[in-house]
């Protein structure tokens, strides 16, 4: 790791360990790199980082295998709305947050 300042490592919501910053090639069986990820080595939960973040801010919370499946299903249902031009991405996520009675954050 270089001398840059990095975000505070996220705490794993499953096992309470601190995540470590790794290249995704260390996580995926294919060995292909999709960029950096915060990874909980003890339980395998992980999350990507914002592409343009100099401090490697996590994209969200660490997700275990089950949550990653559900997130994939949610994206499959929601993404066609904004990708197809029916609404903007922001509008789609605001609509979803409203339907789930959650804040946009």
């Amino acid at each position: 790791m270089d001398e840059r300042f990095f975000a505070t490592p996220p705490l794993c919501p499953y096992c309470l360990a601190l995540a470590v910053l790794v290249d995704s090639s260390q996580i995926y069986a294919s060995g292909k790199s999709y960029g950096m990820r915060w990874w909980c080595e003890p339980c395998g939960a992980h999350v990507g980082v914002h592409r343009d973040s100099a401090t490697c801010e996590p994209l969200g919370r660490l997700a275990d295998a089950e949550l990653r499946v559900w997130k994939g299903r949610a994206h499959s249902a929601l993404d066609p709305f904004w990708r197809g031009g029916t609404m903007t991405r922001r509008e789609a996520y605001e609509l979803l947050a409203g339907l789930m009675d959650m804040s946009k954050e």
Side-chain angles (χ1 to χ4, degrees):
M1 197 171 307
D2 61 29
E3 297 298 317
R4 294 184 296 167
F5 166 77
F6 290 102
T8 302
L11 186 65
C12 179
Y14 304 102
C15 72
L16 304 179
L18 284 178
V20 293
L21 189 62
V22 299
D23 187 276
S24 59
S25 63
Q26 292 181 250
I27 298 172
Y28 296 116
S30 69
K32 183 173 180 179
S33 177
Y34 297 96
M36 302 301 285
R37 296 189 73 78
W38 288 103
W39 177 49
C40 177
E41 191 172 3
C43 74
H46 54 91
V47 64
V49 302
H50 286 277
R51 188 178 316 224
D52 298 326
S53 173
T55 60
C56 295
E57 288 293 326
L59 283 168
R61 58 165 276 182
L62 278 86
D64 65 4
E66 181 181 6
L67 181 56
R68 290 192 300 275
V69 167
W70 285 107
K71 288 174 73 170
R73 290 178 179 174
H75 278 286
S76 293
L78 183 66
D79 291 0
F81 289 99
W82 64 267
R83 289 183 191 260
T86 304
M87 59 182 66
T88 67
R89 185 173 188 221
R90 177 174 295 234
E91 289 169 339
Y93 279 87
E94 286 174 356
L95 175 63
L96 181 61
L99 291 170
M100 296 175 69
D101 197 28
M102 297 174 69
S103 71
K104 291 185 295 185
E105 292 75 30

